[in-house]
Amino acid sequence: MVLRQEGGGPEVIRFLIKRTAQAAVVLLLVSVIVFVLLHQLPGGPARAILGPKATPQAVEHFNHQQGYDRSLPLQYVQYLGRLLTGDLGESYKLNQTVSSLLSDRLPKTLVLTGLAIALAAVLAIPLGILQAVRRGRAADYLLTGLAFLAYATPVFFLGLVLILVFSQRLQLFPAEAPQADTVGGILGDLPGLVLPVVTMALGVIAAFSRYMRSAVLDNLGEEYVRTARAKGQSSARIMARHVLRNALIPLATLLGLYLPTLFSGALVVESMFNYPGMGLLFWNAAQGSDFPVLLGVTLVVGVATVIGSLITDIAYAVLDPRIRSVS
């Protein structure tokens, strides 16, 4: 099915400008929320960072040094200025800047989530198509049951089962993720990546395959499919040339909505498999009450979610030009 592209270059530019402006407003709101969270820490930022035994003089000196004794609007303007220069504060537990910690850990988390998404897409798309074309048959019921089971099972339980079966019993893969300092080193230890990647991917596969099944079924009932069949086109040709492209459109939206879930899943998976990514950094920071790191990770996840949603909107409009005319 070929969708008529309404409008042209100016319409595309207006769509991109509108979506980018909306994303900028949301990013500003994210910075406000993180700033408010900073000032909601127990006893204020100084007491939370210095500890309950800090003297009033030490708290006063810290507040003056960090600018916490100024008005809140002025503090926010200064905080926003630091964010724009990449200054996310300093970890008082690790004695490093939060920016340096995140720049080291973020690429590793992106590798883990990227591999999980790639595996989910490779498996979920054909599984969803198979369920749709075998609707109401044994294969459909079996795959649907497995999908619901995987979707309903907590990530940590899936990880424990995989460790027990494939690491402890069968001894096929290590229970600990790669510990290399670089992305190249992590990718060089593929056996160590198998269990964490599969643990993250299972729930995504379940969700994506169900959406793919529904999208394929919706498109198989369209008039253009019946017309193609009347012209003598084979089922494989109809699926490849017409149905698949339109069925992939909902997955583009689903991927953007799934980004927060993927990052929360990374926190659990990285902690379980001792994977040196952002999730493990957040977990260790929570254990040690390292609030600058916690807020820095929260801000980065929020920004990544907004940017992911923006990319999803653009991809959705590319796949279906009709979206631009109603946005």
Side-chain angles (χ1 to χ4, degrees), residues 77 92 113 142 153 205 222 230 236 238 246 269 271:
V77 171
Y92 297 95
T113 55
L142 176 61
T153 305
I205 292 171
E222 293 290 337
I238 294 172
N246 293 323
V269 171
S271 303

Side-chain angles (χ1 to χ4, degrees), residues 14-33:
R14 285 196 300 270
F15 176 82
L16 293 177
I17 292 175
K18 181 179 179 180
R19 285 293 186 262
T20 303
Q22 291 173 346
V25 172
V26 175
L27 287 175
L28 189 63
L29 292 176
V30 169
S31 69
V32 171
I33 292 172

Side-chain angles (χ1 to χ4, degrees), residues 34 37 41 88 90-91 98 101-102 267 278-301:
V34 173
L37 289 175
L41 295 175
L88 299 177
E90 183 175 351
S91 168
V98 176
L101 289 169
L102 293 179
L267 190 154
M278 222 167 49
L280 183 61
L281 176 67
F282 188 90
W283 175 262
N284 291 335
Q287 295 289 93
S289 300
D290 198 345
F291 295 106
V293 174
L294 293 175
L295 294 176
V297 173
T298 302
L299 181 66
V300 169
V301 172

Side-chain angles (χ1 to χ4, degrees), residues 7 49 56 64 77 80 130 132 139 141 157 181 190 236 267 296-297 301 312 314 317 324:
I49 292 171
H64 180 71
V77 171
L80 192 60
L130 176 62
Y141 290 130
F157 186 76
D181 294 329
L190 292 179
L267 190 154
V297 173
V301 172
T312 298
I314 296 173
R324 298 195 292 266

